[in-house]
Amino acid sequence: MNLDRLQASRFTSADMDIAWYEAGSPDGFPVLLIHGFASTAHVNWVFPGWTKTLDQAGYRVIALDNRGHGESDKPHDPEAYHPETMAADAAGLLDELGIEAAHVMGYSMGARISAFLTLSRPDLVRSVVFGGLGMGMVDGVGDWDPIADTLLASSLDDVTDERGRMFRAFAEQTKSDRFALAACIRTSRTLVDRGHLAAMVTPALVGVGTRDDIAGSAQELAELMPHGEWLDIPNRDHMLAVGDKVFKAAVLEFFSKVDAGAVSEARR
């Protein structure tokens, strides 16, 4: 199987056409990958080597393009992008494939979606990895409304906001539908309730780059959860942490520990 470019399959979730991809061992335990804002399954998971890493570890790898991204449908209505709705897309994919439980890993916006998936369908989630999003999941990550404005600007030259320029350039690099992304960023930032995380017994690993100025503290988020662990990904910012070898090794160790039933409340 060519892991550099996976072919899309499709399923329907609430009248939305969602693209998904599969790699790895068909007999391995499933890992569901949920990418971040303005990214795709390929950009977040294939190109940085995650599908290869998980394949070599013997896992079955499932990844989807979130609505508004990649090869999936791209509505321009902000009401289509609440994280509860996107979490339902992910749950629907696992149900469609007859997968009773999976390790789930999300990055940035995908981490938020993974949290809502875990809280709404704990039966589907053996463990969860929150990458690129720490306490920002519950406290917020600042005012992102300007991001929508920069996505709708006629040219990158018209964008002065530094964070806006970063995401506008990323959207252009990934050839994204800027109108869909602008709609997505307006409604996909619902905060996760602290009390809900405190009651979440699913094993969780939080990984954030030490130079990430968006995500918030990994340790503080992990300590809200009964079985939370954290990883500070050294010398990585928000964009570069996802493919880091330290992150990959920690995730594999975490999955192995969960699979062996060795998870405890000990902190990393």
Side-chain angles (χ1 to χ4, degrees), residues 74-99:
K74 301 174 181 65
H76 293 175
D77 180 2
E79 290 303 308
Y81 294 102
H82 293 286
E84 298 92 335
T85 302
M86 289 193 280
D89 292 339
L93 174 57
L94 293 178
D95 287 338
E96 176 84 4
L97 297 176
I99 294 174

Side-chain angles (χ1 to χ4, degrees), residues 74-241:
K74 301 174 181 65
H76 293 175
D77 180 2
E79 290 303 308
Y81 294 102
H82 293 286
E84 298 92 335
T85 302
M86 289 193 280
D89 292 339
L93 174 57
L94 293 178
D95 287 338
E96 176 84 4
L97 297 176
I99 294 174
E100 295 182 354
H103 294 303
V104 175
M105 177 163 59
Y107 195 81
S108 194
M109 179 186 75
R112 190 185 307 279
I113 295 169
S114 298
F116 279 94
L117 170 61
T118 304
L119 292 169
S120 63
R121 292 290 307 274
D123 57 302
L124 290 176
V125 184
R126 175 178 285 187
S127 77
V128 62
V129 176
F130 300 136
L133 192 59
M135 278 301 288
M137 185 180 292
V138 295
D139 289 343
V141 290
D143 182 11
W144 279 50
D145 288 335
I147 306 297
D149 296 335
T150 62
L151 287 165
L152 298 176
S154 58
S155 169
L156 180 60
D157 294 336
D158 298 329
V159 178
T160 57
D161 180 83
E162 183 177 352
R163 185 180 290 180
R165 286 186 63 84
M166 179 179 70
F167 277 96
R168 172 61 182 265
F170 188 53
E172 291 186 354
Q173 176 188 346
T174 55
K175 298 180 173 58
S176 298
D177 182 327
R178 294 186 289 108
F179 295 94
L181 293 183
C184 177
I185 199 62
R186 294 192 190 279
T187 53
S188 64
R189 308 194 311 270
T190 304
L191 300 181
V192 179
D193 182 85
R194 289 170 181 258
H196 292 164
L197 288 176
M200 192 182 82
V201 297
T202 304
L205 172 66
V206 187
V208 172
T210 58
R211 296 182 179 178
D212 190 328
D213 61 355
I214 294 174
S217 169
Q219 179 176 348
E220 290 180 31
L221 181 68
E223 289 179 342
L224 292 178
M225 297 176 283
H227 298 288
E229 304 183 13
W230 71 87
L231 171 72
D232 292 326
I233 305 169
N235 300 313
R236 294 297 192 184
D237 63 15
H238 192 73
M239 291 299 190
L240 294 179

Side-chain angles (χ1 to χ4, degrees), residues 10 22 38 41 47-48 60 67 83 102 106 113 124 143 155 160 201 248 251 253 263:
R10 299 182 180 278
E22 185 167 9
F47 302 152
R60 178 186 179 188
R67 54 175 63 202
I113 295 169
L124 290 176
D143 182 11
S155 169
T160 57
V201 297
K248 289 175 182 173
V251 170
E253 178 186 354
V263 171

Side-chain angles (χ1 to χ4, degrees), residues 6-31:
L6 303 179
Q7 295 299 311
S9 299
R10 299 182 180 278
F11 85 108
T12 300
S13 177
D15 298 324
M16 202 71 56
D17 189 49
I18 303 296
W20 64 277
Y21 310 85
E22 185 167 9
S25 170
D27 299 323
F29 192 81
V31 177

